[in-house]
Amino acid sequence: MSPAAPAPRPISHSEFVDSTDLLSDPVALRARAAEDGYLFFRRRLPADEILAMRREMLAVVDKYGWRQPGQDDLGGLIDYDAINRLSEEEMHRTDVGVTEAAYHDVQRLERFHRLPHHPRLREIYEQLFGRAVLVHPRHIARLVTPHTCMVPTPPHQDYPYIQGTTNTWTAWFPIGECPRSLGGLAVLRRSHVHGYLPVQPAKGAGGFAVPLCPAETEWVEGDYGLGDVLTFPCHTVHKALRCQFKDRIRLSMDVRYQPADEPVEQRSLNPHCPLTWEEIYRDWQRDDLKYYWKKFPLQMSPWDDGYLTPRRRIC
Ligand SMILES: O=C(O)CCC(=O)C(=O)O
């Protein structure tokens, strides 16, 4: 008789555990990361820096007429009709929640490229890696509007989209407060231990999802305050929660970090849009972050299409 398939474990939900107290103890920090497959830090980034970033992103949203009138420059109320006048095709050109023109405006913001280098973010990865940190310059902004074609980012791993080293970590942080009702990011605790999981086409950012089957047990989530940061290695499965509002925008950033002496794939050094770096740098006040990655003797690795090739998964 063949042995019966193990019964699927029930799915549970828990709250992020704050790891701030482990930042001074790299051994304990790494042990928690290895155990849980994520780290969460309350108020890691200064509130005034997040609010300044929010003001600049919302000014772009305002420029295109998608914000409701009568709110201050930090208010995230969106004109549902105005945003829904945009075609699905236009929205899908970026999949970040706004049109290509608006996304390019955000990508040109100097502050958007400066924030990921904040010493309080770098400190996390200096402690985790114990050696020089490479901040990937390819930052992603999400301006998740209530356009009807926007669906929450499906469960996925970042490795297929980033490649290079499996030791790359994502930092995800909202640009403003983000209660779970606004659709923050959740992680599947310990999912990194499975390594690469095959993908299937899915709706939502990235266009692929991992079918979860036995891996799906404990989703960890929380209400993000100003400056809170979630970080995880590139095999940790994560997804966005569904936004409960039809009139609010969720602003957030995805940034990647890796040890500078491990392989990196060329796309991680390119902008996350068709602009060139020169076009992005055009109005910057300072030069120190222009092409900063070129000072590292980087070891380049090739792109492999196979990771984003759908395969049947046996549960
Ligand atoms: O913010 C989102 O909806 C998706 C972010 C994400 O998946 C990532 O940072 O890798």
Side-chain angles (χ1 to χ4, degrees):
M1 231 170 65
S2 58
R9 282 184 283 170
I11 298 167
S12 64
H13 295 263
S14 60
E15 295 276 327
F16 292 131
V17 172
D18 187 356
S19 289
T20 303
D21 59 337
L22 301 186
L23 270 173
S24 54
D25 182 349
V27 173
L29 186 76
R30 289 172 205 156
R32 179 167 292 167
E35 175 66 19
D36 290 345
Y38 84 92
L39 295 168
F40 181 75
F41 300 96
R42 286 261 177 235
R43 292 181 286 281
R44 184 91 293 251
L45 284 165
D48 59 341
E49 305 244 5
I50 295 292
L51 292 178
M53 184 77 263
R54 181 172 176 85
R55 200 170 281 115
E56 291 187 24
M57 284 186 176
L58 287 175
V60 173
V61 179
D62 218 29
K63 170 179 159 188
Y64 291 89
W66 302 321
R67 238 166 51 103
Q68 288 181 23
Q71 42 181 337
D72 69 19
D73 54 5
L74 293 172
L77 289 176
I78 296 296
D79 180 335
Y80 180 86
D81 295 330
I83 195 77
N84 277 288
R85 278 195 282 276
L86 299 168
S87 69
E88 277 202 23
E89 191 200 344
E90 202 165 0
M91 297 300 285
H92 284 318
R93 243 174 253 143
T94 65
D95 262 349
V96 299
V98 291
T99 58
E100 199 167 35
Y103 191 49
H104 289 185
D105 287 349
V106 171
Q107 282 286 345
R108 283 197 199 90
L109 297 171
E110 182 168 356
R111 186 182 298 281
F112 175 69
H113 292 272
R114 198 161 288 282
L115 193 52
H117 297 264
H118 196 285
R120 286 181 60 86
L121 276 177
R122 296 188 68 102
E123 184 189 355
I124 299 173
Y125 304 97
E126 280 157 7
Q127 296 294 67
L128 265 177
F129 303 148
R131 55 210 150 116
V133 175
L134 172 70
V135 184
H136 290 187
R138 183 187 183 82
H139 314 312
I140 304 178
R142 313 266 172 198
L143 300 97
V144 183
T145 53
H147 191 284
T148 52
C149 78
M150 292 303 294
V151 299
T153 304
H156 68 281
Q157 298 175 313
D158 282 345
Y159 184 73
Y161 300 95
I162 301 173
Q163 303 192 20
T165 172
T166 55
N167 210 5
T168 300
W169 282 63
T170 290
W172 187 95
F173 46 94
I175 304 298
E177 286 178 359
C178 186
R180 61 199 94 182
S181 55
L182 197 55
L185 214 66
V187 293
L188 196 57
R189 185 172 169 270
R190 283 189 69 70
S191 51
H192 65 305
V193 302
H194 299 284
Y196 166 72
L197 296 166
V199 297
Q200 283 180 358
K203 285 193 179 156
F208 292 98
V210 292
L212 292 168
C213 312
E216 178 161 16
T217 54
E218 186 182 343
W219 283 103
V220 192
E221 54 187 54
D223 295 318
Y224 295 80
L226 272 185
D228 291 354
V229 174
L230 170 69
T231 188
F232 47 86
C234 59
H235 280 142
T236 295
V237 176
H238 54 286
K239 67 175 180 181
L241 301 177
R242 183 172 293 281
C243 177
Q244 309 294 323
F245 304 101
K246 285 205 156 149
D247 61 353
R248 290 189 203 175
I249 193 166
R250 184 257 278 175
L251 301 176
S252 58
M253 288 180 62
D254 319 350
V255 184
R256 329 286 176 184
Y257 301 81
Q258 68 163 83
D261 58 0
E262 296 197 20
V264 60
E265 199 282 321
Q266 179 59 44
R267 288 174 213 213
S268 296
L269 307 178
N270 296 342
H272 184 250
C273 66
L275 294 176
T276 63
W277 285 119
E278 278 311 301
E279 288 166 326
I280 285 175
Y281 294 154
R282 202 183 52 206
D283 297 326
W284 285 24
Q285 303 294 309
R286 285 165 58 187
D287 292 333
D288 57 319
L289 284 181
K290 294 181 179 171
Y291 303 107
Y292 66 88
W293 58 95
K294 293 196 174 177
K295 66 174 186 274
F296 293 100
L298 294 179
Q299 187 191 333
M300 304 306 295
S301 69
W303 178 261
D304 183 345
D305 276 333
Y307 291 111
L308 286 173
T309 304
R311 264 171 272 166
R312 236 183 100 236
R313 179 170 158 76
I314 312 298
C315 294

